[in-house]
Amino acid sequence: MAMAPILMDRRFLFGAKREMKREGIIQPKFADKFFRIDFDADPMPVLCLYPIPLPITLEALRFEVCSLEEQPRLIGWSALASLPRIRLTIPLVCQLFNWSESVEWEGIRLVDLLDFLRVETHPEGYYAFYSRDGVFFETLSRDEARDPRVLLAYGLNGVSLPEAHGGPLRLVVPFLQGYKSVKWLGAIRAFRHDPIGIKRLLGQSPSSHLNEDWKKRYSIVPPKGRAGDPPPFQPLLPPADEGTVTAVQPLAETRALAGAIQSGAATTGRR
């Protein structure tokens, strides 16, 4: 898949002393892994883990959908013309870098698309959302995906969604960490089992749940039903021997998948 040329602006690398208009930014250990970081961008920062895909218009976009028991289908944007268009002012919270912005999104509800196209999964299943960058993907449980606050957004603050912020089409999930809001959406696929999103695979975030401070600040109520990611802190296993406590270790399969991604192989999870 063709990619835009890699251009790294050194002003955005951590370690350089410069003033930013957004205060309180946290610098995680893996910040140097990002293709692009710009905390001065408007109306919210630009964070791209991988190179931005080549631009395309919303009208020309064709994205893939795949239910649990069917072959993939390519859908053009014009096929969704009958779905209701809505505008919501909701926050995007980046807990990893410690920033948030409330902006007005324009788009369609994900649940409307899933029902209209009959993209179905098991009642305890999952959906995975793939970026057109060819690498990044994240997941939601079926219950999370069907929450009416989850959008497929094509507009931002009254204008077409800019390419740097995921245009022409991105996912918006206001009740989870910002990385779940996949930019440059290219595919939606149903899974029976947890396909494990890329942030967990890479070890950059063990859980997408927002902490209590962020939920209180924006009055965020998690959706009812099954959560897609595990709780933020894994419990400890009972001691194997007296006085010994063993922490829960990642599954061998998860380690293998993470290794495949880090070596450049695209991972799609388990169907």
Side-chain angles (χ1 to χ4, degrees):
M1 181 178 294
M3 295 291 180
I6 297 178
L7 299 173
M8 177 63 76
D9 190 331
R10 296 295 173 180
R11 294 175 304 159
F12 304 139
L13 290 178
F14 289 104
K17 292 184 178 180
R18 58 184 295 268
E19 292 185 1
M20 294 182 291
K21 68 180 182 180
R22 290 181 172 88
E23 297 181 353
I25 300 296
I26 290 177
Q27 304 178 17
K29 292 184 294 184
F30 52 83
D32 63 341
K33 305 297 183 183
F34 278 69
F35 165 74
R36 182 179 177 188
I37 294 176
D38 181 1
F39 289 118
D40 290 342
D42 287 319
M44 57 187 177
V46 172
L47 294 170
C48 307
L49 190 57
Y50 299 106
I52 298 174
L54 294 174
I56 188 173
T57 65
L58 187 63
E59 291 72 24
L61 178 66
R62 290 168 63 83
F63 60 94
E64 177 190 295
V65 298
C66 186
S67 293
L68 199 59
E69 302 292 343
E70 70 166 13
Q71 295 298 313
R73 294 173 281 159
L74 281 178
I75 305 297
W77 184 250
S78 60
L80 307 177
S82 64
L83 296 183
R85 270 54 176 169
I86 63 170
R87 291 184 177 184
L88 289 178
T89 299
I90 47 181
L92 188 70
V93 178
C94 182
Q95 186 167 287
L96 295 179
F97 284 87
N98 197 46
W99 63 265
S100 64
E101 294 288 351
S102 283
V103 295
E104 182 185 72
W105 301 99
E106 183 176 0
I108 61 176
R109 287 189 170 93
L110 174 61
V111 64
D112 290 342
L113 177 142
L114 297 176
D115 289 345
F116 181 71
L117 298 178
R118 296 184 179 179
V119 186
E120 299 173 349
T121 188
H122 188 274
E124 295 185 353
Y126 297 79
Y127 291 100
F129 303 85
Y130 296 83
S131 172
R132 290 191 300 108
D133 67 18
V135 185
F136 194 95
F137 72 100
E138 274 300 337
T139 65
L140 297 174
S141 71
R142 180 182 182 273
D143 292 330
E144 290 169 339
R146 296 189 63 81
D147 187 285
R149 294 169 291 180
V150 179
L151 301 181
L152 297 181
Y154 55 81
L156 178 63
N157 285 351
V159 299
S160 296
L161 183 62
E163 177 189 359
H165 292 299
L169 190 68
R170 70 173 290 167
L171 188 67
V172 176
V173 187
F175 49 79
L176 294 175
Q177 292 191 50
Y179 64 79
K180 286 289 185 178
S181 297
V182 176
K183 297 188 286 288
W184 311 295
L185 186 67
I188 303 172
R189 299 172 189 163
F191 288 80
R192 172 62 185 90
H193 302 287
D194 183 2
I196 307 176
I198 195 168
K199 284 291 192 177
R200 287 168 61 197
L201 287 173
L202 295 178
Q204 294 181 357
S205 178
S207 176
S208 62
H209 295 277
L210 292 172
N211 64 36
E212 293 303 318
D213 290 340
W214 286 115
K215 288 190 287 187
K216 183 177 180 180
R217 180 182 301 186
Y218 289 107
S219 300
I220 293 173
V221 178
K224 296 180 180 179
R226 186 183 182 89
D229 280 1
F233 300 102
Q234 291 284 0
L236 297 179
L237 291 174
D241 299 307
E242 186 175 354
T244 301
V245 177
T246 304
V248 173
Q249 298 296 322
L251 295 175
E253 179 183 4
T254 301
R255 286 175 171 172
L257 290 171
I261 285 184
Q262 290 174 323
S263 66
T267 302
T268 59
R270 296 178 289 125
R271 294 303 299 273

